[in-house]
Amino acid sequence: MPPVASPESRVLSIDDSVLIHRLLKAHLRHERVELHCALNGADGLRMAKALNPDAVLLDVDMPDLDGFAVLSALKAEAVTQHIPVILVSGSCTTDDRVRGLDLGAVDFVVKPFEIAELKARVRSALRTTRLIKLLAQRAQIDGLTGLWNRTYFDERLAQELASAERHGDNVALVLCDIDHFKAVNDKFGHPVGDLVLEEFARVLSGSRITDITCRYGGEEFGMIIPRADAAQGAIAAERLRAAVERFEWPDRPSLRVTASFGVADRVVAGSFVPSEVVAAADRALYLAKQTGRNRVCRDGELVTTSLRTAG
Ligand SMILES: [Mg+2]
């Protein structure tokens, strides 16, 4: 299941004044904020990239790299451009304010500032960050099942395969498809079909095999298992297949639901390219469907099948 955001917020202060840092430390102590400090622009940029803070307090007047230069650099980098920046300056000219806001700052505070006002502005910037994160996460969550959606699946599979390539690891991919789902919809109606999808998603995510369980589309689901091979993926898939088969559907004693599973890994696929790993798992899933459903297939071979269907 998608993770819940942590309540602790990270704030990075970039200011050449040690006094300002001391003041912020003293006053932000009770705000559930983890404060990090940089004494110059170059260190500030480095820390912003490493820490991915929820807000940056940025001094305009610094030697070498001034606040405007740091702000431009933050906004030019994909990893830091979303971080809200509050500019802090000794100057309160309209030109400076306009320049700062045009460069992408969310707020502008003039020194000497009232600490209560600064805290309120930090809280406001953190609220914005939380909302942006929430929206970004919502855009990656499937509305019916609460699992990750296809957009997230594609991104995450690419990330995991890239990381596996760097570290010489394997990645297993399990694709599964509910058997005869159209017949469920036809016989019981679409509301029951939706309930089946929801419960099915709960069985998959309740297994704790991986945090990366996605609704791949329609009645098809995908599970990415980092640092596992297809054999381990197939063992996990068999646990799920059995759990789905013995699931008692509330208020629907006549309902029987089964699912077919196809498992591959990047070694089986012979590639770190996401589409090729998906294609390998898809071939295994197709074989599971062709040979009778309610079974797990990997590398073009049947791994397990239900006693009930086999017998
Ligand atoms: Mg300064």
PDB file of all heavy atoms in Angstrom, residues 15-17 59-63 111, ligand 1:
ATOM      1  N   ASP A  15      22.010  30.650   5.215  1.00  0.00           N
ATOM      2  CA  ASP A  15      22.233  32.017   5.671  1.00  0.00           C
ATOM      3  C   ASP A  15      23.668  32.118   6.155  1.00  0.00           C
ATOM      4  O   ASP A  15      24.160  31.195   6.814  1.00  0.00           O
ATOM      5  CB  ASP A  15      21.249  32.339   6.817  1.00  0.00           C
ATOM      6  CG  ASP A  15      21.111  33.839   7.052  1.00  0.00           C
ATOM      7  OD1 ASP A  15      22.149  34.511   7.223  1.00  0.00           O
ATOM      8  OD2 ASP A  15      19.961  34.331   7.053  1.00  0.00           O
ATOM      9  N   ASP A  16      24.364  33.229   5.815  1.00  0.00           N
ATOM     10  CA  ASP A  16      25.762  33.354   6.247  1.00  0.00           C
ATOM     11  C   ASP A  16      25.877  33.844   7.687  1.00  0.00           C
ATOM     12  O   ASP A  16      26.975  34.032   8.191  1.00  0.00           O
ATOM     13  CB  ASP A  16      26.546  34.279   5.292  1.00  0.00           C
ATOM     14  CG  ASP A  16      25.988  35.692   5.256  1.00  0.00           C
ATOM     15  OD1 ASP A  16      24.765  35.848   5.515  1.00  0.00           O
ATOM     16  OD2 ASP A  16      26.739  36.637   4.961  1.00  0.00           O
ATOM     17  N   SER A  17      24.747  34.061   8.363  1.00  0.00           N
ATOM     18  CA  SER A  17      24.785  34.523   9.747  1.00  0.00           C
ATOM     19  C   SER A  17      24.525  33.375  10.728  1.00  0.00           C
ATOM     20  O   SER A  17      23.463  32.756  10.705  1.00  0.00           O
ATOM     21  CB  SER A  17      23.746  35.633   9.948  1.00  0.00           C
ATOM     22  OG  SER A  17      23.370  35.710  11.303  1.00  0.00           O
ATOM     23  N   ASP A  59      18.658  33.217   2.668  1.00  0.00           N
ATOM     24  CA  ASP A  59      19.151  34.586   2.816  1.00  0.00           C
ATOM     25  C   ASP A  59      19.533  35.137   1.445  1.00  0.00           C
ATOM     26  O   ASP A  59      20.201  34.470   0.671  1.00  0.00           O
ATOM     27  CB  ASP A  59      20.375  34.556   3.753  1.00  0.00           C
ATOM     28  CG  ASP A  59      20.924  35.950   4.041  1.00  0.00           C
ATOM     29  OD1 ASP A  59      20.148  36.933   3.913  1.00  0.00           O
ATOM     30  OD2 ASP A  59      22.114  36.039   4.392  1.00  0.00           O
ATOM     31  N   VAL A  60      19.082  36.365   1.160  1.00  0.00           N
ATOM     32  CA  VAL A  60      19.427  36.966  -0.136  1.00  0.00           C
ATOM     33  C   VAL A  60      20.862  37.492  -0.102  1.00  0.00           C
ATOM     34  O   VAL A  60      21.628  37.333  -1.061  1.00  0.00           O
ATOM     35  CB  VAL A  60      18.447  38.115  -0.478  1.00  0.00           C
ATOM     36  CG1 VAL A  60      18.921  38.884  -1.708  1.00  0.00           C
ATOM     37  CG2 VAL A  60      17.051  37.560  -0.704  1.00  0.00           C
ATOM     38  N   ASP A  61      21.243  38.097   1.035  1.00  0.00           N
ATOM     39  CA  ASP A  61      22.533  38.791   1.099  1.00  0.00           C
ATOM     40  C   ASP A  61      23.623  37.861   1.631  1.00  0.00           C
ATOM     41  O   ASP A  61      23.808  37.747   2.846  1.00  0.00           O
ATOM     42  CB  ASP A  61      22.400  40.025   2.011  1.00  0.00           C
ATOM     43  CG  ASP A  61      21.076  40.739   1.746  1.00  0.00           C
ATOM     44  OD1 ASP A  61      20.914  41.256   0.632  1.00  0.00           O
ATOM     45  OD2 ASP A  61      20.197  40.718   2.640  1.00  0.00           O
ATOM     46  N   MET A  62      24.302  37.190   0.704  1.00  0.00           N
ATOM     47  CA  MET A  62      25.413  36.321   1.092  1.00  0.00           C
ATOM     48  C   MET A  62      26.564  36.590   0.130  1.00  0.00           C
ATOM     49  O   MET A  62      26.341  36.901  -1.040  1.00  0.00           O
ATOM     50  CB  MET A  62      25.008  34.839   0.975  1.00  0.00           C
ATOM     51  CG  MET A  62      23.977  34.378   2.007  1.00  0.00           C
ATOM     52  SD  MET A  62      23.701  32.598   1.955  1.00  0.00           S
ATOM     53  CE  MET A  62      22.881  32.403   0.370  1.00  0.00           C
ATOM     54  N   PRO A  63      27.842  36.458   0.627  1.00  0.00           N
ATOM     55  CA  PRO A  63      28.980  36.631  -0.287  1.00  0.00           C
ATOM     56  C   PRO A  63      29.023  35.473  -1.293  1.00  0.00           C
ATOM     57  O   PRO A  63      28.389  34.447  -1.069  1.00  0.00           O
ATOM     58  CB  PRO A  63      30.188  36.590   0.654  1.00  0.00           C
ATOM     59  CG  PRO A  63      29.719  35.896   1.880  1.00  0.00           C
ATOM     60  CD  PRO A  63      28.251  36.144   1.993  1.00  0.00           C
ATOM     61  N   LYS A 111      14.286  41.277   7.017  1.00  0.00           N
ATOM     62  CA  LYS A 111      15.000  41.331   8.298  1.00  0.00           C
ATOM     63  C   LYS A 111      14.999  42.768   8.820  1.00  0.00           C
ATOM     64  O   LYS A 111      15.143  43.681   7.999  1.00  0.00           O
ATOM     65  CB  LYS A 111      16.456  40.896   8.123  1.00  0.00           C
ATOM     66  CG  LYS A 111      16.684  39.414   7.936  1.00  0.00           C
ATOM     67  CD  LYS A 111      18.203  39.192   7.801  1.00  0.00           C
ATOM     68  CE  LYS A 111      18.517  37.779   7.378  1.00  0.00           C
ATOM     69  NZ  LYS A 111      19.934  37.567   7.091  1.00  0.00           N
TER      70      LYS A 111
HETATM   71 MG    MG B   1      23.370  37.515   5.011  1.00  0.00          MG
END
